[in-house]
């Protein structure tokens, strides 16, 4: 048996110099092998920090509590050498802007074989070059041999993102973290990259954490989705269930304010107000100020409870009605 | 029979780079009735932003005309009077309000600048006009005193819209104006634009890569690809029964819940099988 590839439990993260509220507040998250888990939220919700925490890539001033394990290694307390090995062998990350992650002065081949060159012997370098060719082919680039000798500026954004994905796969990771991997791309290119990631994930049985601000995209890619708001996971559910029956008022609001290509109506139901800034630290529920179901004497005073039924959970004192029978829900109190 | 609010005829722009010629816009025509709204949809390199820049006179077209109320707009206005007249006909709001607002000028003063240039109001009249404009976009006296960096992205975009409206333009061109906003804030700005169009009768040219966003705001839509308009029509019809293969490709690429995209991730050749427009 094997546990989840990525497990975060009750992770808190504070940045005392820049943020008055916790940047992450009690985040629980699991990604198993062969599973795609979505992390959805607006800017400042903490989704990128969550992914970085999985790699142990946090600012030096960050104060972290809780447990983050990747492939059984405790990222927050393990010796630096172990964490480096983890980053080299078990986890890889694909970022939003492929051009920001590649040296424009070096050839694609240099980028892909960099770690072999830095650590290895001649034989390793030959193996790395062969693997780079194989992966450039696997990510659907038409002429791997030529691409190895090309510079980043010779490729379009979509092609370069394929190179970055090939680079992420060089170490045969078991867990792939994708942070808005298609946000900088055109819609048709986005569709190609998403299909590619899905295929690679299935073929290689990787676990994948897919971060996006786009609920529709998350719902088309992921098995399960976590919705984040102001550093909290406010709702967690299977992708379709979340979409068809949101239980947290924020999830429902996000869905209502997303323009639909085949929806009806001419007016969007916008969520009033703006996302919580890092300088605000309200007591009670972080979403209370924008919530249309707020109960002043409860939501503005007490931290909302997590209501869970084994499949999905919602962090709200007054969640939207579930169609599942009430007795199937149990309430867990958290401080 | 009076002239339409905005009429664009055969707008064309080519660039020369390293000896070769690139056609950015290969002849765009469009007509906008009083208080109407038209969407221009396309991917990067389609020529939609170049079209926007030619509409407002930031880029001189190689050929074609822009008429507002039947009045031909000078391609490159010279002198104060021509520039002010051009500005009153068409205003533009860009994607990134960080770049279009002066970081050193409080936003109320930024709006006031536009009012001062285009009206002869007294100082106290101007003050109430600025407040009225900011109120129209959901901001108040408190925000007016702040520098752009103290505002959120959505608030800054509202300021950019208020400043454009200060001129009382006939047509407002929005170039990816909601693309950088969080979805909950984007919805507020989209509703705001719909309200403003209703109240002031300003015509909207809404440029976006996002078909769903265009659907909410525009009665008519043009789909552009590589400088050419490949399909145009009533937005509802276009989304329901797309005729051009490229429109169909765009629609099939839109992610939908519970359904992996129909576009295959095999090889990196966008728009395979779609006839490319001739150059």
């Amino acid at each position: 048996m094997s546990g989840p590839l990525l497990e975060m439990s009750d992770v808190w993260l504070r940045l005392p110099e820049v943020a008055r509220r916790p940047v992450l507040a009690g985040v629980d998250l699991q990604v198993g092998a062969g599973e795609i888990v979505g992390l959805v939220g607006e800017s400042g919700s903490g989704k990128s920090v969550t992914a970085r925490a999985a790699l142990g890539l946090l600012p030096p001033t960050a104060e972290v509590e809780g447990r983050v394990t990747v492939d059984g290694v405790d990222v927050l307390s393990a010796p630096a050498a172990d964490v480096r090995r983890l980053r080299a062998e078990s986890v890889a990350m694909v970022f939003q802007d492929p051009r920001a992650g590649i040296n424009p002065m070096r050839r694609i081949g240099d980028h892909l074989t960099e770690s072999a060159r830095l650590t290895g012997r001649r034989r390793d370098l030959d193996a790395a070059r062969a693997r780079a060719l194989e992966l450039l082919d696997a990510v659907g680039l038409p002429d791997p041999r030529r691409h190895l000798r090309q510079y980043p500026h010779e490729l379009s954004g979509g092609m370069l993102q394929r190179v970055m994905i090939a680079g992420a796969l060089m170490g045969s990771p078991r867990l792939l973290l994708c942070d808005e991997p298609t946000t900088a791309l055109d819609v048709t290119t986005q569709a190609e990259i998403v299909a590619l990631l899905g295929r690679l994930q299935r073929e290689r049985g990787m676990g994948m954490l897919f971060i996006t601000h786009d609920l529709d995209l998350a719902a088309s890619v992921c098995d399960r989705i976590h919705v984040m708001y102001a550093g909290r996971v406010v709702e967690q559910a299977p992708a379709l269930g979340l979409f068809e029956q949101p239980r947290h008022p924020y999830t429902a609001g996000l869905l209502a304010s997303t323009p639909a290509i085949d929806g009806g109506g001419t007016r969007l139901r916008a969520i009033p107000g703006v996302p919580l800034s890092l300088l605000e630290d309200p007591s009670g529920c972080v979403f209370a100020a924008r919530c249309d179901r707020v109960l002043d004497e409860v939501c503005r005073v007490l931290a909302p409870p997590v209501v869970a039924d084994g499949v999905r959970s919602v962090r709200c004192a007054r969640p939207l009605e579930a169609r599942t029978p009430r007795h199937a829900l149990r309430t867990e109190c958290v401080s | 029979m009076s002239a339409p609010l905005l009429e664009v005829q055969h707008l064309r722009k080519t660039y020369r780079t390293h000896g070769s010629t690139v056609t950015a816009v290969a002849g765009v025509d469009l007509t906008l009735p009083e208080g109407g709204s038209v969407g221009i949809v396309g991917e990067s390199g389609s020529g939609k932003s170049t079209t926007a820049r030619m509409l407002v006179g930031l880029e001189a077209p190689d050929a074609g005309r822009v008429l507002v109320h039947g009045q031909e707009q000078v391609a490159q206005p010279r002198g104060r009077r021509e520039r002010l007249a051009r500005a009153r006909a068409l205003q533009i709001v860009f994607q990134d309000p960080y770049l279009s607002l002066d970081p050193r000028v409080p936003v109320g003063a930024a709006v006031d600048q536009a009012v001062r240039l285009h009206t002869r109001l007294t100082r106290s009249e101007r003050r109430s006009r600025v407040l009225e404009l900011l109120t129209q976009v959901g901001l108040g006296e408190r925000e007016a005193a702040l520098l752009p960096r103290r505002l959120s992205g959505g608030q800054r975009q509202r300021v950019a819209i208020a400043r454009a409206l200060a001129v009382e333009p006939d047509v407002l061109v929005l170039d990816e104006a909601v693309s950088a906003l969080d979805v909950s804030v984007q919805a507020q700005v989209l509703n705001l634009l719909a309200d403003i169009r209703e109240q002031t009768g300003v015509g909207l040219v809404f440029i976006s890569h996002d078909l769903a966003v265009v659907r909410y705001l525009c009665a008519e839509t043009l789909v552009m690809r590589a400088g050419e308009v490949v399909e145009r029509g009533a937005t509802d019809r276009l989304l329901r029964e797309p005729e051009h293969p490229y429109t169909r490709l765009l629609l099939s690429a839109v992610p939908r819940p519970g359904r992996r995209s129909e576009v295959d991730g095999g090889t990196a050749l966008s728009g395979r099988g779609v006839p490319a427009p001739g150059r």
Side-chain angles (χ1 to χ4, degrees):
Chain A
M1 87 125 235
S2 63
L5 284 174
L6 168 63
E7 183 159 29
M8 301 179 88
S9 53
D10 201 22
V11 175
W12 289 73
L13 187 143
R14 291 184 181 80
L15 289 171
E17 280 164 29
V18 292
R20 229 165 271 166
R21 67 165 164 87
V23 176
L24 298 180
V27 170
D28 292 308
L29 182 78
Q30 290 189 352
V31 183
E35 186 183 31
I36 307 185
V37 175
L39 212 51
V40 174
E42 299 183 286
S43 38
S45 60
K47 40 191 204 308
S48 289
V49 177
T50 303
R52 286 171 169 269
L55 283 169
L57 287 175
L58 294 170
T61 57
E63 295 168 5
V64 198
E65 287 166 46
R67 254 172 78 83
V68 180
T69 58
V70 173
D71 227 356
V73 177
D74 187 333
V75 177
L76 299 178
S77 65
D82 290 2
V83 176
R84 275 202 302 276
R85 187 167 327 114
L86 205 64
R87 289 181 198 148
E89 292 170 5
S90 304
V91 204
M93 192 148 171
V94 178
F95 295 92
Q96 171 173 341
D97 181 0
R99 282 190 209 281
I102 189 166
N103 186 339
M105 307 291 285
R106 305 297 300 265
R107 294 173 199 273
I108 303 291
D110 292 343
H111 170 78
L112 294 177
T113 57
E114 185 178 23
S115 66
R117 260 184 300 117
L118 290 178
T119 58
R121 300 163 298 263
R122 181 75 219 178
R123 206 178 47 214
D124 293 344
L125 186 57
D126 290 342
R129 198 160 289 156
R131 178 150 179 79
L133 277 174
E134 175 197 322
L135 283 170
L136 286 178
D137 184 53
V139 296
L141 287 167
D143 191 354
R145 246 165 238 293
R146 188 164 63 93
H147 297 316
L148 276 189
R149 308 196 49 240
Q150 283 183 309
Y151 286 96
H153 76 265
E154 297 177 67
L155 301 183
S156 68
M159 291 174 102
L160 203 58
Q161 191 62 300
R162 288 175 190 258
V163 169
M164 302 312 277
I165 292 169
L169 298 179
M170 281 293 286
S172 305
R174 304 182 56 208
L175 175 67
L176 191 60
L177 309 170
C178 299
D179 190 355
E180 305 262 12
T182 61
T183 306
L185 307 174
D186 279 326
V187 269
T188 51
T189 316
Q190 160 168 296
E192 292 174 2
I193 295 291
V194 161
L196 171 68
L197 284 169
R199 175 166 65 76
L200 294 168
Q201 179 268 339
R202 280 192 306 278
E203 285 171 6
R204 285 151 207 261
M206 290 185 291
M208 196 157 110
L209 185 67
F210 191 91
I211 296 177
T212 177
H213 66 283
D214 184 338
L215 256 177
D216 289 311
L217 181 62
S220 80
V221 172
C222 305
D223 303 311
R224 278 189 301 125
I225 295 178
H226 291 64
V227 179
M228 290 191 78
Y229 187 80
R232 279 106 178 136
V233 174
V234 293
E235 183 162 11
Q236 182 271 117
L240 263 185
L242 185 87
F243 225 84
E244 282 166 3
Q245 215 182 88
R247 297 211 53 207
H248 197 284
Y250 177 62
T251 315
L254 265 189
L255 286 169
S257 52
T258 306
I261 195 110
D262 37 19
T266 51
R267 207 173 167 79
L268 294 162
R269 249 192 33 231
I271 306 175
V274 293
L276 204 64
S277 85
L278 288 170
L279 299 176
E280 300 166 273
D281 189 13
S283 58
C285 174
V286 282
F287 187 60
R290 305 177 73 189
C291 186
D292 56 358
R293 295 173 60 82
V294 64
L295 290 169
D296 280 336
E297 61 282 18
V298 180
C299 300
R300 294 188 199 274
V301 186
L302 298 169
V306 175
V307 185
D309 68 357
V311 183
R312 52 191 294 178
S313 64
V314 55
R315 188 186 287 256
C316 182
R318 215 185 149 211
L320 289 133
E321 206 54 51
R323 270 176 248 145
T324 34
R326 280 231 139 227
H327 61 263
L329 297 171
R330 72 198 154 86
T331 304
E332 289 171 4
C333 278
V334 284
S335 58
Chain B
M1 161 100 210
S2 63
L5 176 61
L6 171 69
E7 200 173 356
V8 175
Q9 299 171 344
H10 316 306
L11 217 50
R12 190 180 164 81
K13 180 80 191 174
T14 55
Y15 294 101
R16 257 176 290 283
T17 51
H18 306 297
S20 67
T21 310
V22 178
T23 307
V25 178
V28 169
D29 294 273
L30 77 91
T31 309
L32 190 64
E34 203 71 46
S37 60
V38 62
I40 302 181
V41 175
E43 298 189 296
S44 37
S46 63
K48 57 190 196 304
S49 283
T50 307
T51 304
R53 296 175 66 84
M54 287 192 286
L55 285 179
V56 297
L58 285 171
E59 202 86 62
D62 296 337
R65 305 197 299 165
V66 176
L67 293 92
V68 174
H69 286 306
Q71 196 79 38
E72 178 161 2
Q73 299 298 304
V74 196
Q76 277 186 312
R78 283 173 219 285
R80 182 186 166 90
R81 226 178 47 156
E82 278 189 0
R83 279 206 304 275
L84 287 180
R86 190 88 169 71
R88 261 194 299 277
L90 296 130
Q91 279 285 307
I92 187 165
V93 176
F94 294 102
Q95 172 169 1
D96 189 349
Y98 279 94
L99 298 178
S100 51
L101 295 171
D102 188 332
R104 297 161 303 181
V105 178
V107 297
V111 176
D112 183 56
Q113 250 169 23
V115 176
R116 207 169 54 213
L117 267 172
H118 285 273
T119 63
R120 292 185 176 183
L121 301 179
T122 65
R123 186 187 288 254
S124 71
E125 286 169 336
R126 279 204 328 260
R127 172 178 294 184
S128 63
R129 174 72 181 135
V130 168
L131 204 59
E132 182 188 59
L133 284 160
L134 288 174
T135 312
Q136 195 174 15
V137 297
L139 300 173
E141 209 148 359
R142 198 175 69 83
E143 285 87 5
L146 299 177
L147 291 173
R149 71 181 149 87
R150 301 286 309 280
L151 301 178
S152 70
Q155 288 175 318
R156 267 192 294 261
Q157 201 58 298
R158 288 160 191 268
V159 172
I161 293 169
R163 189 178 57 174
L165 292 174
V167 178
E168 295 180 36
D170 298 305
V171 178
L172 191 56
V173 180
L174 300 130
D175 187 3
E176 298 278 11
V178 300
S179 310
L181 304 177
D182 276 321
V183 55
S184 70
V185 178
Q186 171 182 295
Q188 296 168 7
V189 175
L190 286 175
N191 285 341
L192 169 71
L193 289 169
D195 291 343
I196 286 172
R197 182 163 69 90
E198 206 157 287
Q199 289 158 12
T200 65
V202 66
L204 297 182
V205 178
F206 191 84
I207 289 161
S208 178
H209 67 283
D210 189 336
L211 282 161
V213 166
V214 167
R215 194 183 84 80
Y216 269 85
L217 218 50
C218 307
E220 203 204 336
T221 298
L222 273 62
V223 179
M224 286 187 74
R225 176 162 189 249
E228 298 201 353
V229 176
V230 296
E231 186 166 359
R232 67 168 72 217
T235 309
D236 281 339
R237 198 279 304 157
L238 194 119
L239 295 180
R240 215 177 41 242
E241 299 154 1
E243 276 164 15
H244 195 278
Y246 181 67
T247 314
R248 270 186 237 135
L249 178 74
L250 272 185
L251 274 167
S252 72
V254 174
R256 288 177 175 84
R259 187 188 65 111
R260 303 261 151 111
S261 165
E262 287 159 13
V263 177
D264 140 58
T267 40
L269 292 165
S270 277
R272 236 163 18 273
V274 177
R279 292 244 162 154

